[in-house]
Amino acid sequence: MTQAVALPASTPVAIPVNEVVPWAVFAGAILLALLYLVGMDQGATSLISGSVLHEFLHDGRHLLGFPCH
């Protein structure tokens, strides 16, 4: 015969919003920078000169639906 063992119930930990906001802003800034690098880099407004970045991200642009031709 097996015996049941009572496990203590786990309680969720409350995370204050003021600790989450800086990380959310940081993640948003990183995501916007990645969106610029993948989607908006056409050369005319590029932060990096040349077409190396555009050619490196070329397939990702098509995958995300950005026109580039």
Side-chain angles (χ1 to χ4, degrees), residues 5 10 19 30 32-33 38 45 49 51 58:
V5 177
S10 61
E19 290 184 13
I30 295 294
L32 284 175
V38 173
T45 60
S49 63
S51 63
H58 188 88

Side-chain angles (χ1 to χ4, degrees), residues 10-29:
S10 61
T11 57
V13 177
I15 300 173
V17 174
N18 60 353
E19 290 184 13
V20 175
V21 170
W23 288 105
V25 170
F26 177 69

Side-chain angles (χ1 to χ4, degrees), residues 53-68:
L53 182 64
H54 175 81
E55 292 301 323
F56 182 70
L57 299 172
H58 188 88
D59 293 337
R61 293 173 57 86
H62 288 297
L63 180 68
L64 293 173
F66 286 103
C68 64

